Amino acid sequence: MINVRAMEPFLTSLKSNDVVIEIANDGTAPISGVDIVAINTSTELASTSSSTTNIENVVILESSWDVGNINAKSAKYLTATVYVPESLKDDTLRIPLSISYYNAHGDFSTISKIVDFYIKGLIDLTIFNIKVIELSDKQMVIGEIINEGNEDGLFGFVSIESKGDSNIKSNTQFIDEIEIDAPVPFNIPIEFEGEPRYGEHDITITVRYKDSTRDEIFLIQDQTITIHEPSNGDNNTTDPTMIIILVIFIAGVIFYIIRRHKKATVEIN
């Protein structure tokens, strides 16, 4: 008996995926001359199976494999590169395989099998606009995250950690969903281990989130920031650049909150 299965059953849309398919000989005798072809239309499959396939909607760079011999109770592995378009997100890709071989008696046989893959959306995050601002005598790291994929990131957190000789304390902010249609702002207060040290600090910014299958994913970015001494309360001079940055950041936060509220209202209705 010949069985097939995907070693990793998930594919991601909007990108090329490296897939591995196991071809197992579960019988008690070896088979030889094993040749496998991915059938590329549902019409070709119709005569041998009632299952449907959407393989014509993807691009498979490798579609035939000369496997050779497979001993009893053993397996061989096929590799292929599959590009999945955005339209198949949240769908199941069914790849029909035509498997030809000779049994131990020299008889030639051809059978059909189907390998199924579930197609996830793409979460493609970038961290940008990292700055240090002072607000109410408290300095904080601010920035934005943009998702250029086609699926929201879930249960998002942003963390900062010190690198090298920096004495900045680790800190984390919960940002919830990382949606695909607008930047998500974050702001993390800066605290020190021991006495404050001003000037350049090397830090690591980590975005932690989950995809639709609840797999946890990490985006890690090293960053150098500059921390200035707090402004003197008696000094009435104010840096206009920092005021502009603060206004833009607050406007971004307000826009993000309003957009989330509207989305929640639409989902309820």
Side-chain angles (χ1 to χ4, degrees), residues 38-59:
I39 304 172
N40 61 6
T41 66
S42 56
T43 303
E44 290 177 280
L45 185 66
S47 62
T48 58
S49 173
S50 60
S51 300
T52 59
T53 176
N54 49 4
I55 190 175
E56 67 274 10
N57 296 321
V58 304
V59 177

